[in-house]
Amino acid sequence: MKKMLCPQCKIAAMYVKNESGERRLVYVTDQAEVIPKNSDETLEGFDVSEVFCLGCSWHGSPKKLVRY
């Protein structure tokens, strides 16, 4: 699996939020699929249409991430 990178700071570590503001660490694959960093976690209830970068202030659609 290849991970997509933040277009601003070029790291792969992202997170998503749910309605309560809780965060879940994720990666985005080269197929624009959002997957949890920890395989035992689920993304149920989390908005995967917007990802947030852990390294800078960038956030947006997973499709706007750049290739490695």
Side-chain angles (χ1 to χ4, degrees), residues 26-61:
V26 297
Y27 292 119
V28 179
T29 69
D30 54 354
Q31 304 298 316
E33 180 185 2
V34 179
I35 57 169
K37 179 181 177 190
N38 299 319
S39 59
D40 59 332
E41 295 179 337
T42 178
L43 294 178
E44 187 174 327
F46 285 83
D47 179 12
V48 296
S49 66
E50 182 176 30
V51 294
F52 298 82
C53 179
L54 282 171
C56 68
S57 61
W58 185 89
H59 62 92
S61 168

Side-chain angles (χ1 to χ4, degrees), residues 1-38:
M1 169 192 72
K2 298 285 186 174
K3 298 173 187 164
M4 299 295 282
L5 305 176
C6 171
Q8 191 167 300
C9 70
K10 308 296 190 263
I11 69 165
M14 305 281 159
Y15 66 90
V16 292
K17 293 182 185 178
N18 64 12
E19 289 182 8
S20 303
E22 297 172 315
R23 298 178 179 188
R24 177 82 25 106
L25 297 177
V26 297
Y27 292 119
V28 179
T29 69
D30 54 354
Q31 304 298 316
E33 180 185 2
V34 179
I35 57 169
K37 179 181 177 190
N38 299 319

